Amino acid sequence: MSSADYSLQGRLAVITLNNPPVNGLGHELRSGIMAGLEQAAKDGAVKAVVVIGSAKAFSGGADIREFNTPKSSATPTLHQIIATLDAMQKPVVAAIGGFAMGGGLELALACHYRIAAPRAQLALPEVKLGILPGAGGTQRLPRLIPVADALRMIASGEPVPSEKGKTLGLVDELADAAGSDLLAAALAYADRLIAEGKGPRRIRDMTARVDNAAQFFERARAETAKASRGYPAPLEIVTCVEAAVSKPFDEGIKVERARFEHLVNGTESKALRHMFFAERQTSKIPDIPEDTPVRPIKRSAIIGAGTMGGGIAMCFANAGIPATLIDAKQEALDRGLETIRKNYAGTVSKGRLKQEDMDKRMTLISAALDYASVKDADIVIEAVFERMDVKLEVLKRIDSIARPGAILATNTSTLDVDKLAASVSRPQDVIGTHFFSPANVMRLLEVVRGAKTAKDVLATTMKLGKTLRKVAIVSGVCDGFIGNRMLEKYVQQALFLLDEGATPQSIDGALQKWGLAMGPFTMYDMAGNDIGWEVRKRRALERPDFVYSKVADRLCEQGRYGQKTGRGWYRYEPGNRKPIPDPEVEQLIAAYRKEIGIAPRAIADEEIVERCMYALANEGANIIDEGIALRASDVDMVYLTGYGFPPYRGGPMFYADTVGLANVLAAIERFGKGYQGGTWKPSPLLAKLAAAGKTFN
Ligand code: T1G
């Protein structure tokens, strides 16, 4: 059954794309479109053709799932459909409702005229998938709209609304409504074209022009190279758009085809496409049906007006949900509200928020010294000091006041959510909502499902995560959940590397060059080395088997907590967050090496990256194996949205897949024979998949 319907409206043929949810141009839909065009071409009674989608979607583009599979080149291909449109002797009108993206917009560009519904979104977003428009978009768009606008649209991948499209010349007509009225408008437009004797108008016959082309593209190339480190697609896009200006159409198409093939087979694109689907998988929970009823969340209360509590309150205010910030001390509340105000003011000053929106959001945030307002809240989140006794006390108070059905959430970053749940009268209403600092910026939200957490509480919290524009990822209960548990193993290796001869700057440098936003030592100086110190002290009691280098303790014993004390792994000039290597730290590390009898050795960047990345992947495998994470792509999303992992590497599990699990296992076995080798225990899941030649994802 083809997913395109063909119908006649008088002398007009209508081809309706019907492949929900986004009219992805998979093989079936392509076959339906081609059949419709051929039928219209040979029907003498047909004088023009309208191609239309649904009110929501003209088309979201090629079916990304087909890439790197035979289906993507199964005939009819999108290129063949476009060639048929180029050969059509009758005008074809694309009627765009909702959005036309990627191959969907390229299909519309190959049609001869375009009419769009109000605010329809038009984009060539392929660059976000590490590729480029591969069906003529880089050759047609610069011929239809100003070259600079075309380059900007393709290199950014950002959509333009149909109103802007009309101004640019991308859209010929704006319908005054969407849905069935769009069809009526499109039919009327097609009739008018016939009446005016307008035949097919092929963009391929137009010319792309730009003044001082050589200079324009030289500047574009320089700017793009600076902005796209690690991502090859943007520079390839500049090459293709330059070909649209400097070469005949068919030559330009050849350039586009070659550059597309190069990119679509590259690791960066596969990583970005993995991330596209991984993000959409996170909300799928095997035992929670998509239609599970959720509890309404109209008001929130947050206990603790510190950095986290304030950031969380902003998340609710940003989503239009009132939040009451509660703290025992007035000065804490004042400081918390002042920090929120400053944060918003900073965004306003950067032009990313209107003053009136800031004012609206500030009115949504109230402050209270007592717990009275907890009784009106639909969710109460505790964000107090990371100590079990403190949290137990706070949860008990919340439990005694919150209304029945309210969700009791804890922002703990490592503590046992089941233990916290067991301390209240309604463990089924308790859940972990682990925000990442700064909470109003970081997209990651680890949703920690307790053994007793009710299904609707989990479903409600996952939906709330979406409302707060977070990437909500389910974690089971364990020390550190997903992200921090893996981070412990990563930091453990980073500290061992210091013992063996590396320096904070050589380790941070190697990892940042590899693509991490920030290396471990810069990160800990920012977060506060005393936080890690607390965790190590607690772990020494609870899990004496967890071996650390003591070098970090030596640093903390000297009060070198990081930026907040002006000295940490690096030193900092007053008012400047730039980490400066500090000889005192190198002396401290050298003294520690003497203490433990280690002769330092030179350590190559490659070993630093392997030891740190494979530590992440190996622990990630254990987390998946234990069912703490639902799937490998969730683990990837945790690192891609919460830990500055480079998207073009796809996440720790995806990266291990690209290295090859057998190679990762062999390296881990090699590390097991080296310094502190006992801390390397290959994950049984890794060993099993490696032996079977399989991958995590
Ligand atoms: N291919 C395959 N599946 C897709 C898809 C696509 N292009 N777009 C969406 N889906 C799935 C998605 O995984 C989800 O699946 C469901 O549809 C709803 O998506 C030749 C080579 C269009 C703005 O990059 O940006 O054309 O989770 O939740 O919020 O030059 O989807 O339900 O199983 O995101 O309404 C270029 C990608 C492709 C657009 C709609 N196109 N899609 O947002 O729905 S490459 C894109 C989006 C290409 C040509 C090149 C968004 C959307 P599931 P959703 P939405």
Side-chain angles (χ1 to χ4, degrees):
M1 192 275 277
S2 92
S3 15
D5 304 323
Y6 183 87
S7 64
L8 288 174
Q9 303 271 342
R11 57 186 182 175
L12 306 176
V14 180
I15 299 172
T16 307
L17 312 187
N18 183 19
N19 180 24
V22 299
N23 280 332
L25 294 167
H27 181 246
E28 269 186 32
L29 178 52
R30 298 199 302 269
S31 306
I33 296 169
M34 182 62 105
L37 290 172
E38 287 166 346
Q39 191 166 349
K42 65 173 186 266
D43 181 343
V46 170
K47 302 301 176 202
V49 184
V50 170
V51 178
I52 191 166
S54 64
K56 168 188 175 187
F58 176 75
S59 167
D63 188 328
I64 311 169
R65 280 174 286 231
E66 288 186 351
F67 289 167
N68 308 113
T69 74
K71 275 195 126 181
S72 69
S73 53
T75 54
T77 63
L78 185 52
H79 302 108
Q80 287 166 331
I81 291 172
I82 287 172
T84 303
L85 283 162
D86 275 342
M88 285 292 277
Q89 298 307 308
K90 308 170 182 177
V92 180
V93 173
I96 301 169
F99 49 71
M101 296 204 167
L105 183 56
E106 291 173 298
L107 173 64
L109 286 169
C111 295
H112 309 127
Y113 301 90
R114 283 152 295 283
I115 181 169
R119 293 176 302 288
Q121 295 297 303
L122 312 171
L124 290 174
E126 291 87 338
V127 68
K128 295 181 179 178
L129 298 171
I131 45 181
L132 52 77
T138 68
Q139 304 306 304
R140 284 190 171 82
L141 196 64
R143 283 177 164 78
L144 186 64
I145 71 174
V147 168
D149 292 298
L151 178 56
R152 189 175 310 113
M153 204 170 146
I154 303 170
S156 72
E158 290 305 315
V160 297
S162 48
E163 290 75 11
K164 173 118 191 272
K166 176 84 169 60
T167 313
L168 290 171
L170 175 51
V171 167
D172 301 293
E173 290 281 313
L174 275 179
D176 53 11
S180 57
D181 298 350
L182 173 64
L183 178 58
L187 294 171
Y189 180 44
D191 270 328
R192 210 166 70 236
L193 290 168
I194 299 167
E196 292 164 1
K198 297 270 176 68
R201 182 189 60 177
R202 280 174 283 269
I203 295 176
R204 57 169 296 139
D205 301 332
M206 300 174 187
T207 307
R209 277 201 191 79
V210 67
D211 297 340
N212 305 323
Q215 199 182 0
F216 173 84
F217 285 106
E218 192 185 327
R219 192 172 59 245
R221 192 162 269 111
E223 284 164 8
T224 303
K226 228 179 9 242
S228 61
R229 186 177 76 94
Y231 296 88
L235 277 174
E236 299 288 6
I237 285 167
V238 176
T239 299
C240 291
V241 173
E242 186 171 33
V245 171
S246 60
K247 296 177 185 299
F249 185 84
D250 289 332
E251 290 306 302
I253 284 287
K254 285 195 191 109
V255 172
E256 175 188 278
R257 195 74 56 84
R259 303 330 299 156
F260 176 85
E261 284 306 321
H262 167 70
L263 290 168
V264 81
N265 291 308
T267 309
E268 294 84 358
S269 175
K270 288 177 184 163
L272 290 167
R273 280 177 269 145
H274 164 66
M275 188 173 170
F276 174 86
F277 288 115
E279 182 166 353
R280 287 159 177 78
Q281 282 301 311
T282 56
S283 53
K284 295 181 169 63
I285 305 165
D287 65 332
I288 311 270
E290 302 237 336
D291 58 359
T292 302
V294 294
R295 300 181 190 180
I297 301 285
K298 293 194 169 40
R299 287 198 67 81
S300 67
I302 295 119
I303 317 292
T307 311
M308 289 310 290
I312 295 169
M314 289 177 73
C315 292
F316 281 94
N318 295 347
I321 301 173
T324 304
L325 208 45
I326 296 171
D327 203 295
K329 301 192 199 76
Q330 187 58 47
E331 63 271 21
L333 284 178
D334 297 344
R335 198 171 46 243
L337 284 177
E338 192 41 36
T339 305
I340 292 170
R341 198 188 315 284
K342 261 198 243 150
N343 283 341
Y344 278 137
T347 312
V348 170
S349 65
K350 289 180 200 133
R352 290 212 306 269
L353 184 68
K354 292 197 197 80
Q355 184 60 49
E356 67 256 31
D357 289 335
M358 169 179 164
D359 300 342
K360 210 178 334 170
R361 292 180 192 184
M362 286 308 293
T363 57
L364 287 171
I365 300 174
S366 51
L369 281 170
D370 61 29
Y371 278 50
S373 48
V374 160
K375 69 182 180 317
D376 311 325
D378 303 308
I379 184 168
V380 188
I381 301 179
E382 66 78 15
V384 295
F385 195 66
E386 187 70 3
R387 276 227 328 253
M388 184 56 88
D389 54 342
V390 175
K391 289 187 183 293
L392 286 171
E393 173 54 35
V394 165
L395 269 177
K396 220 170 265 143
R397 280 189 71 186
I398 295 170
D399 186 27
S400 65
I401 301 170
R403 65 167 188 69
I407 292 179
L408 312 187
T410 165
N411 178 52
T412 181
S413 56
T414 56
L415 299 175
D416 185 337
V417 173
D418 288 334
K419 196 166 169 201
L420 290 164
S423 72
V424 298
S425 65
R426 39 180 145 176
Q428 72 284 1
D429 292 339
V430 175
I431 195 162
T433 50
H434 178 211
F435 289 81
F436 282 71
S437 182
N440 53 305
V441 173
M442 297 303 279
R443 292 182 63 209
L444 176 59
L445 173 67
E446 279 183 329
V447 175
V448 186
R449 178 179 192 173
K452 294 206 166 57
T453 300
K455 291 191 174 188
D456 70 325
V457 169
L458 178 56
T460 303
T461 309
M462 293 301 284
K463 182 164 183 289
L464 174 66
K466 268 208 164 70
T467 307
L468 300 181
R469 300 178 61 73
K470 298 287 180 186
V471 175
I473 293 169
V474 178
S475 171
V477 176
C478 70
D479 187 344
F481 313 133
I482 298 172
N484 284 344
R485 174 169 157 183
M486 290 165 67
L487 191 72
E488 282 299 338
K489 301 298 280 183
Y490 160 88
V491 170
Q492 181 185 46
Q493 286 307 316
L495 294 175
F496 287 151
L497 284 160
L498 288 184
D499 293 354
E500 295 178 84
T503 61
Q505 54 273 28
S506 71
I507 293 169
D508 283 356
L511 291 167
Q512 279 157 228
K513 201 162 81 201
W514 183 80
L516 283 190
M518 199 179 279
F521 300 104
T522 309
M523 178 185 69
Y524 269 110
D525 268 3
M526 189 177 77
N529 293 312
D530 47 333
I531 293 175
W533 198 19
E534 277 301 314
V535 171
R536 288 194 299 279
K537 286 178 196 165
R538 175 168 63 78
R539 190 151 291 137
L541 300 173
E542 289 168 5
R543 291 186 46 200
D545 64 309
F546 204 111
V547 176
Y548 285 102
S549 159
K550 294 276 179 297
V551 68
D553 301 347
R554 298 286 180 277
L555 190 90
C556 291
E557 283 151 14
Q558 294 186 11
R560 297 185 71 113
Y561 293 163
Q563 288 184 20
K564 58 183 163 185
T565 56
R567 305 176 315 148
W569 292 106
Y570 299 93
R571 65 181 179 77
Y572 299 86
E573 299 297 345
N576 192 327
R577 309 165 75 96
K578 186 174 176 312
I580 303 166
D582 187 345
E584 276 184 31
V585 169
E586 294 191 37
Q587 285 150 25
L588 179 149
I589 296 169
Y592 180 68
R593 286 182 194 130
K594 262 206 191 67
E595 192 185 320
I596 58 174
I598 290 268
R601 65 181 173 89
I603 300 178
D605 285 4
E606 192 192 5
E607 180 181 347
I608 292 171
V609 171
E610 284 191 346
R611 293 258 298 267
C612 293
M613 288 304 126
Y614 297 172
L616 285 181
N618 193 52
E619 195 59 22
N622 289 328
I623 286 170
I624 297 158
D625 214 12
E626 294 166 23
I628 295 290
L630 290 172
R631 53 186 78 86
S633 60
D634 278 9
V635 175
D636 286 330
M637 284 311 293
V638 165
Y639 268 76
L640 289 164
T641 58
Y643 290 81
F645 205 93
Y648 60 83
R649 297 213 188 252
M653 312 318 284
F654 184 90
Y655 175 66
D657 286 343
T658 57
V659 171
L661 298 191
N663 298 325
V664 173
L665 180 61
I668 287 176
E669 284 162 350
R670 196 171 63 246
F671 299 147
K673 299 190 182 79
Y675 177 65
Q676 297 284 13
T679 58
W680 282 103
K681 295 184 183 60
S683 154
L685 176 63
L686 169 62
K688 190 173 74 181
L689 292 173
K694 291 191 174 160
T695 55
F696 286 125
N697 278 295

